[in-house]
Amino acid sequence: EFADLLEATGVEYKPTAYRRAAENVREHTAPIENLAGEGEAAVAEIDRVGDAIASKIVEYFETGEIEELEALREELPVDMAGLTAVEGVGPKTVGSLYEALGVTTLDELEAAAEAGEIREISGFGAKTEENILENIPFARESRKRTRLGDARPVADAALSYLADLDAVESAEVCGSIRRWKDTIGDIDLLVASDAREPIVEAFTGWAEADATIEAGSGKASVRASGTRVDLRVVDPDEFGAALQYFTGSRAHNVAVRNRAIDRDLKLNEYGLFDVSDVDGAGAEDGGAEADDRRVGERVAGETEAGVYEALDMDPVPPELRENNGEVEAAAAGELPDLVEAGDLRGDLHTHTDWSDGGFSIAEMIGAAADRGYDYHVVTDHAAGPGIFGNTGLDEPDIAEQAAAVEDAVSEVDGAVLGRGIDDGGGGDDADDPIAVFHGIEANIDAEGAITTDDDALADLDLVVASPHSALGQDGDAATERLVRAVEHPHVDVLGHPTGRIINSRPGVSPDVEAVVAAAADAGTAIEVNANPARLDADGDTVRAAVDAGAAVAVNTDAHSPRELDNARYGVHTARRGWAETADVLNARSAAGLREFLDG
Ligand code: DGT
Ligand code: CA
Ligand code: CA
Ligand code: ZN
């Protein structure tokens, strides 16, 4: 926020310094409040945190605010996050709009654009005004939902807090977070216990809850990290039915409930009941529901699997519960054997300090080895459109990095060059070496050409090609572009296909069927970029890829060891796309991967 406000008031350089510092504070292993307690010098030990920023951090922990930031907020009283959510509106634009028109909110921005006032500001124009107007609905919509990657850690923390309470028999997340949707309206939690009141009390007293929204008998809602968290407490013998009900989606529940009705059964959040002897109880969603909700003989409800089994279905993995054929598949015993987090054997898209990553090649290999991976692919940015300044590697850099990868491999215990191994490397034995491959993240230009020379690409083990520029092009152009890219003989993986940033930029909208069909034909994998800001390809695109027979690669695009942990977001997104282990390229052995690359 400090950086944005500085930038909006026309300050140069400093915003970048603040953002870099913020990033390194976030990545730092010791809690910042501990360092601040030790004083400025301890805080300034953090890379890229200078004395000035360190003193502000200490000021914040000592006084609860930063004087200079408060002054900036007064000078520029704008809803910065709301306004910059509009694509094409950065902090500088916010500053100009405030100065010229006094715009502080999204609503005021919209009114100004509609009144034609923005085009009158110098440096703006009719086209800019149109773009702003066009992008406001997306910004407004996206502001309402929380990214999975922001909500999931909150849900995990709440869940472990609740699970540790004495009176709690079982605790689970439900709702969209259990289905691993890419954005979350609110977090839903379910607890089985005979003691409702103490649990509600403990929940509203949770240290990470910023406010209580409501608290009643057996249910409560709090706000934590800006997201609403709903808790329901149910009887232990009704936990399975409640879990099934509150996991949703609504469309899935309707389909399952209809299956119950067909069998003279009644399904609700309290259980599955045989109502064949009860008059009229099969009538759905009537106002009298509350009165006859536990009517008839109970046939299931203690476990969720029991509910599905009593309906002659295999238990449906939460990620599939969107009423997209999973009810029929479960009834036919034909659910997919979904990929699991433990199936991943390596990451095919990672960065180092050779481009915009923060860690050395050896550090990243070491981190991958620590995770028990069988292989690791170094794919720094190639220079090209959309890659900032000299962040990317040109052809001579790539050759130089090849030697550096060899050096790093010789430095890291248990690392071997992937290209040299002949036994496939990395079996199930924990002592097996980690095979290291040298790749690149090349750029796909607006027309679909790869902007690195073929000769340089040919020397690499693996090429991820991604769109980083022209992300506003129309759907047909995007289709042509991506089809051409996947057909490029040296391209192995199509990286973050749309270029979307969730809640911030929609990315391109190609004809997905055409792209995945071309990828399947060309033997190019479709990436599920596991960075929770991207989740690109999304579940629907994965499903199309799997149906077309294209391989899927679940990659973190990690710029630090910690970001390798994002793999789970990619795995669950792949599961939302019905991906089986066999569909996932980096669930194959090193030998299998090499076979794919050579084929
Ligand atoms: P969200 O929070 O917008 O990301 O999406 P959900 O799916 O978490 O929706 P939410 O939080 O409103 O409710 C959680 C689940 O509870 C939902 O997926 C299905 C179930 N549920 C809630 N209300 C109803 C309802 O009126 N009818 C049915 N069939 N299911 C409901
Ligand atoms: Ca929810
Ligand atoms: Ca909810
Ligand atoms: Zn990229």
Side-chain angles (χ1 to χ4, degrees):
E1 183 192 2
F2 213 153
D4 285 350
L5 286 169
L6 286 169
E7 195 181 325
T9 51
V11 176
E12 287 189 83
Y13 307 115
K14 240 175 155 182
T16 313
Y18 274 73
R19 290 192 187 106
R20 289 230 169 98
E23 212 169 285
N24 287 342
V25 168
R26 200 177 299 127
E27 288 285 336
H28 198 74
T29 45
I32 186 69
E33 58 268 38
N34 294 359
L35 295 177
E38 288 170 45
E40 287 174 28
V43 176
E45 287 286 317
I46 301 175
D47 205 7
R48 288 192 159 138
V49 177
D51 293 344
I53 292 178
S55 96
K56 292 193 176 68
I57 291 174
V58 171
E59 185 192 348
Y60 177 75
F61 281 102
E62 282 178 353
T63 69
E65 52 181 39
I66 299 170
E67 211 176 306
E68 202 184 320
L69 176 60
E70 294 303 321
L72 275 170
R73 282 174 172 166
E74 242 166 71
E75 185 185 340
L76 208 68
V78 296
D79 172 15
M80 183 64 80
L83 290 167
T84 54
V86 180
E87 211 200 343
V89 178
K92 268 217 181 80
T93 309
V94 171
S96 312
L97 289 166
Y98 179 72
E99 199 177 314
L101 303 171
V103 166
T104 62
T105 64
L106 215 45
D107 287 348
E108 290 171 3
L109 180 66
E110 183 166 50
E114 276 170 351
E117 290 169 0
I118 291 175
R119 66 180 70 199
E120 303 297 336
I121 309 173
S122 100
F124 291 66
K127 184 77 196 136
T128 310
E129 189 179 76
E130 271 165 41
N131 281 342
I132 288 176
L133 207 47
E134 204 170 288
N135 290 328
I136 284 175
F138 184 82
R140 192 171 274 139
E141 187 54 36
S142 64
R143 292 279 298 155
K144 288 189 214 133
R145 298 183 64 82
T146 308
R147 285 179 187 161
L148 174 64
D150 295 328
R152 187 76 213 192
V154 179
D156 289 342
L159 194 60
S160 77
Y161 171 72
L162 290 169
D164 281 348
L165 298 176
D166 276 346
V168 170
E169 289 199 14
S170 338
E172 253 300 359
V173 295
C174 43
S176 53
I177 197 126
R178 185 166 179 239
R179 306 197 309 278
W180 297 82
K181 265 192 78 164
D182 47 18
T183 63
I184 303 298
D186 64 11
I187 296 170
D188 299 286
L189 300 166
L190 187 70
V191 156
S193 173
D194 293 318
R196 298 184 174 215
E197 299 324 308
I199 287 168
V200 165
E201 212 169 289
F203 179 61
T204 55
W206 180 39
E208 289 183 42
D210 299 320
T212 298
I213 300 167
E214 54 193 325
S217 158
K219 72 196 260 203
S221 301
V222 300
R223 186 164 297 282
S225 300
T227 302
R228 180 191 171 104
V229 188
D230 286 349
L231 169 73
R232 289 177 193 82
V233 189
V234 302
D235 290 347
D237 64 347
E238 295 179 343
F239 184 69
L243 185 57
Q244 198 285 325
Y245 181 88
F246 290 113
T247 296
S249 66
R250 284 180 177 77
H252 172 83
N253 286 355
V254 168
V256 173
R257 200 165 51 196
N258 284 339
R259 206 174 151 80
I261 293 167
D262 289 345
R263 287 167 171 66
D264 265 341
L265 298 169
K266 179 182 174 64
L267 177 63
N268 60 28
E269 61 188 284
Y270 306 99
L272 181 65
F273 302 92
D274 182 344
V275 289
S276 51
D277 292 337
V278 183
D279 254 8
E284 279 311 301
D285 279 346
E289 171 122 354
D291 299 318
D292 60 4
R293 59 203 188 181
R294 291 186 179 89
V295 79
E297 189 199 337
R298 204 180 129 92
V299 293
E302 190 168 351
T303 69
E304 188 181 58
V307 171
Y308 283 108
E309 278 152 16
L311 293 168
D312 305 313
M313 298 168 71
D314 288 337
V316 181
E319 297 93 331
L320 302 189
R321 300 186 196 174
E322 302 290 349
N323 196 28
N324 281 327
E326 77 281 6
V327 173
E328 295 78 3
E334 285 169 0
L335 284 171
D337 180 13
L338 297 180
V339 62
E340 290 172 17
D343 293 339
L344 295 192
R345 291 166 168 243
D347 208 311
L348 311 182
H349 181 173
T350 66
H351 295 269
T352 75
D353 54 11
W354 278 68
S355 62
D356 58 351
F359 295 80
S360 70
I361 299 171
E363 285 172 310
M364 293 301 288
I365 296 171
D370 288 346
R371 293 182 65 87
Y373 280 157
D374 296 341
Y375 46 85
H376 178 74
V377 191
V378 179
T379 59
D380 275 304
H381 282 290
I387 302 305
F388 180 72
N390 59 359
T391 311
L393 278 56
D394 60 16
E395 288 75 4
D397 294 334
I398 293 172
E400 206 181 303
Q401 194 189 37
V405 168
E406 289 194 27
D407 288 348
V409 164
S410 63
E411 254 175 57
V412 179
D413 258 2
V416 296
L417 277 181
R419 194 182 296 193
I421 54 174
D422 50 13
D423 62 353
D428 290 332
D429 193 333
D431 293 335
D432 278 341
I434 181 162
V436 178
F437 295 93
H438 185 210
I440 193 86
E441 182 181 12
N443 305 294
I444 305 170
D445 76 9
E447 278 75 45
I450 306 302
T451 65
T452 298
D453 286 350
D454 278 359
D455 290 348
L457 298 177
D459 286 342
L460 291 158
D461 297 312
L462 185 149
V463 175
V464 177
S466 318
H468 290 117
S469 59
L471 298 174
Q473 71 186 166
D474 70 40
D476 289 343
T479 305
E480 243 176 80
R481 173 193 202 176
L482 297 182
V483 165
R484 188 174 160 208
V486 299
E487 287 175 345
H488 189 293
H490 291 313
V491 171
D492 303 299
V493 177
L494 173 61
H496 52 73
T498 74
R500 76 164 174 172
I501 301 294
I502 295 172
N503 283 358
S504 158
R505 156 176 106 195
V508 295
S509 313
D511 173 350
V512 168
E513 307 287 333
V515 175
V516 298
D521 277 351
T524 299
I526 302 291
E527 175 174 272
V528 179
N529 191 297
N531 181 326
R534 293 188 182 273
L535 299 181
D536 178 20
D538 65 7
D540 289 343
T541 300
V542 171
R543 182 106 184 250
V546 166
D547 286 348
V552 168
V554 178
N555 297 330
T556 63
D557 194 355
H559 287 65
S560 65
R562 189 185 301 188
E563 284 177 4
L564 291 172
D565 291 342
N566 285 336
R568 64 173 179 156
Y569 297 116
V571 169
H572 288 284
T573 299
R575 287 166 64 91
R576 283 179 64 80
W578 295 50
E580 302 197 328
T581 311
D583 296 315
V584 177
L585 176 57
N586 51 325
R588 300 184 192 177
S589 66
L593 173 64
R594 281 193 3 188
E595 200 177 307
F596 179 91
L597 297 176
D598 295 343

